[in-house]
Amino acid sequence: MTNYSFIIVVKLLVIFLIFVSPKEILAFYDRFGGYAEEPIGPSSPYEVFDVSKFGGSPNANSDNTLAFEKTWEAACNHQGKSKFYVPGGKFLVGAIQFKGPCRTESTMEVEITGDLIAPTSIKAFPSNQWISFSNLNDIFLYGSTNLEGGGEVEAWKSCKKSKCDLVTSLILANVSNAIIKNISLSNSKGFHFRLQSSRNVTVYNVSISSPWDIGDDCVSISTGSLDVLVSGTRCGPGHGFSIGSLGKVKNEEEVRRIKVQNCTVNGAENGVRIKTWPSSPPSQASDITFDDILMINVSNPIFIDQEYCPSGSCDTTSASLVKLSNIEFKNIRGTYISDFGVNLRCSSVAACENITLIDVNLNGSKTLKEKLQQEKFSTTGRLNGLAVFNSTFN
C-alpha cells in the first residue's frame, strides 16, 4: 500500500486530476508570492443537518444514498447558516451529486466524520463519478472520513482485461472559494480526486493511497490550468508529476504559470514530465517551473515527451503542434535507473523554446559497466534556447 503527501492551492483550474497521489496539500496566493496559513474554515454556529436524522445508518451493508440526498436538499435550501453532517461509522453510499447553488447565507459547511464506502460493482455507477460537488460557491469540506472506492474488488481486474470507464471518487465541478481539508481517499476505481472548471480552491492535508502496482500520474495538470502550485508532495510509485497530456483535441485552452516545488519522487516511472500527443492541433503551455525535487531511483527524472503515445498505436504522421516555452528545471537531484537522466523529446515542428536547467545533479544508479553505456542527456526535435547552469549528470 502506498501513501502520498500532497500540498496544493489552485487559483484558477479548469481540469486537475489526481490518480494515485498525495497526502499533505497546501497553497499559494498572489502568483506564488507567498504561502497562505493553514486554512481554518468557518467557526460560527450552524444549523446542523445530520444524515442519521434523515434515515442514514452507519451500516456498510445498507444503501444510504437517498438519506444523503434528502439531507443535502434540506441543508442546501436552508436560508441561514447550514452544515451537512455525517457522524462516525461506515456508510455505504452510491453515486451521488451534491448540487448547488444553495440558499445558505454563508459558507456551506460539510463535515464528514464517518467513512463512506462505494458499491463494488462498476454497474452501480451511471456515469464516471462517485461523489461530486457542483455549482457551489463558498464551501468547506472537512472531517476524518476516508472515501473508500473499492476498486480492487472489480474495477481494477476488469480494466486490465479490457477498456473501461474509470470512476472518479471525488469531483469538484464549477466550484469557487472552496477548502478541502483533512480527508483521505483510498482504492478509487479510477481517479481519486478531480477539480474541474473551479476557482480559488485550497486542498490541505489530504491523504490518497492505493496499492503500489495500481496508478497513473501522482498529479496531472491538464488543459486550461492557470496559476497552480503543487508543494510539499511525496509521490511514488506511479507516473510522477505531469503537465498533460496536452493536444488530444482541438481548441484546448492554454496551460500557464505552473510551479511544482519541494517534492520527492520515489520509484516512479517518471519524475517531472510534460507530455503532448503527436499529430496534435495547436495549443500552448508556458511559464512552468519544477524546483527543489528529490529523485530516488526514478525512471526519466526530467522528461519532455512530445511523442506521447501510451497505447503504441497513435497517429504519428505529423508532429505535435503544442508549443512549449519558458520551462525551468531547478535544483533537481537524486538517482535514476532509466537510459536518460534528461530527455528533451521536442516537436520537430513547434520547437521547444527557452528551456533552462539550473543546479540539476542526477546520478545513474546502475552498475559501473551499465553506467558507461547509460546516456545522460538527450535532445531530439527542434529546440530553440537551451541553457544549462551548474549541473552534473553521472
Side-chain angles (χ1 to χ4, degrees):
M1 185 70 69
T2 358
N3 291 296
Y4 305 89
S5 183
F6 191 30
I7 292 185
I8 305 179
V9 174
V10 183
K11 187 173 183 181
L12 171 60
L13 181 60
V14 174
I15 299 181
F16 179 25
L17 311 178
I18 308 172
F19 192 179
V20 177
S21 329
K23 169 172 152 192
E24 206 179 57
I25 299 193
L26 201 144
F28 90 121
Y29 66 92
D30 189 23
R31 296 271 181 90
F32 315 135
Y35 291 96
E37 298 294 329
E38 175 181 346
I40 297 174
S43 58
S44 54
Y46 278 64
E47 180 76 22
V48 177
F49 295 84
D50 187 331
V51 296
S52 62
K53 303 294 178 60
F54 290 79
S57 172
N59 182 339
N61 297 317
S62 301
D63 187 353
N64 289 280
T65 308
L66 183 59
F68 275 55
E69 290 175 342
K70 289 181 178 178
T71 309
W72 176 259
E73 183 178 5
C76 188
N77 286 320
H78 180 63
Q79 294 186 356
K81 297 178 180 180
S82 180
K83 176 197 281 191
F84 175 92
Y85 178 69
V86 180
K90 294 183 181 296
F91 294 82
L92 177 66
V93 180
I96 187 167
Q97 298 182 41
F98 298 107
K99 291 184 177 180
C102 292
R103 301 176 66 185
T104 54
E105 65 181 31
S106 62
T107 302
M108 167 60 80
E109 187 170 338
V110 178
E111 180 181 1
I112 306 178
T113 302
D115 294 339
L116 305 189
I117 312 297
T120 57
S121 175
I122 299 176
K123 294 180 180 179
F125 298 87
S127 64
N128 62 348
Q129 59 189 37
W130 174 26
I131 299 169
S132 70
F133 291 85
S134 61
N135 304 323
L136 292 164
N137 176 53
D138 201 2
I139 180 172
F140 180 36
L141 169 60
Y142 68 101
S144 55
T145 184
N146 178 55
L147 307 184
E148 170 54 57
E152 75 281 6
V153 178
E154 178 183 310
W156 299 343
K157 298 174 184 177
S158 63
C159 289
K160 288 181 179 180
K161 296 178 181 179
S162 61
K163 184 178 179 180
C164 63
D165 293 326
L166 301 175
V167 178
T168 300
S169 288
L170 178 62
I171 294 179
L172 271 65
N174 193 27
V175 171
S176 59
N177 305 313
I179 296 173
I180 315 298
K181 178 181 176 182
N182 296 343
I183 69 171
S184 63
L185 304 93
S186 60
N187 302 320
S188 175
K189 293 178 174 64
F191 294 106
H192 280 87
F193 184 21
R194 174 173 178 169
L195 302 180
Q196 178 176 328
S197 303
S198 296
R199 301 174 63 94
N200 297 327
V201 179
T202 300
V203 186
Y204 186 89
N205 196 34
V206 169
S207 173
I208 298 177
S209 65
S210 63
W212 70 270
D213 59 342
I214 299 294
D216 204 321
D217 298 330
C218 290
V219 179
S220 175
I221 299 172
S222 195
T223 59
S225 297
L226 306 175
D227 295 311
V228 178
L229 172 69
V230 178
S231 180
T233 302
R234 290 181 297 155
C235 162
H239 296 177
F241 298 96
S242 292
I243 308 296
S245 57
L246 307 176
K248 193 169 185 178
V249 298
K250 293 181 178 180
N251 302 318
E252 287 186 350
E253 295 184 41
E254 67 175 334
V255 174
R256 188 156 44 95
R257 295 189 300 273
I258 310 298
K259 189 169 187 177
V260 179
Q261 68 175 30
N262 185 27
C263 296
T264 298
V265 187
N266 190 345
E269 291 185 18
N270 301 284
V272 293
R273 176 173 56 155
I274 301 173
K275 51 184 178 178
T276 76
W277 293 85
S279 299
S280 60
S283 62
Q284 60 182 334
S286 63
D287 304 317
I288 298 168
T289 299
F290 299 98
D291 183 15
D292 189 17
I293 313 292
L294 174 63
M295 305 288 181
I296 304 173
N297 294 331
V298 172
S299 296
N300 305 311
I302 295 176
F303 193 12
I304 290 179
D305 185 7
Q306 295 209 257
E307 299 174 2
Y308 175 70
C309 181
S311 67
S313 59
C314 304
D315 178 9
T316 57
T317 55
S318 59
S320 173
L321 295 182
V322 179
K323 183 71 173 179
L324 304 180
S325 61
N326 302 328
I327 315 296
E328 183 177 80
F329 302 94
K330 183 179 180 182
N331 191 20
I332 298 178
R333 72 274 182 203
T335 57
Y336 66 97
I337 59 174
S338 55
D339 290 336
F340 302 105
V342 177
N343 189 355
L344 308 180
R345 188 184 294 167
C346 295
S347 169
S348 60
V349 176
C352 297
E353 289 191 353
N354 301 329
I355 310 298
T356 305
L357 286 80
I358 304 173
D359 296 322
V360 174
N361 297 280
L362 296 169
N363 294 285
S365 58
K366 296 185 177 182
T367 65
L368 178 60
K369 181 179 179 180
E370 290 172 326
K371 275 190 175 184
L372 294 175
Q373 300 172 345
Q374 190 176 29
E375 297 285 348
K376 310 298 189 297
F377 199 115
S378 174
T379 64
T380 56
R382 294 183 60 193
L383 180 56
N384 297 337
L386 170 64
V388 181
F389 301 100
N390 195 32
S391 299
T392 59
F393 310 94
N394 297 314

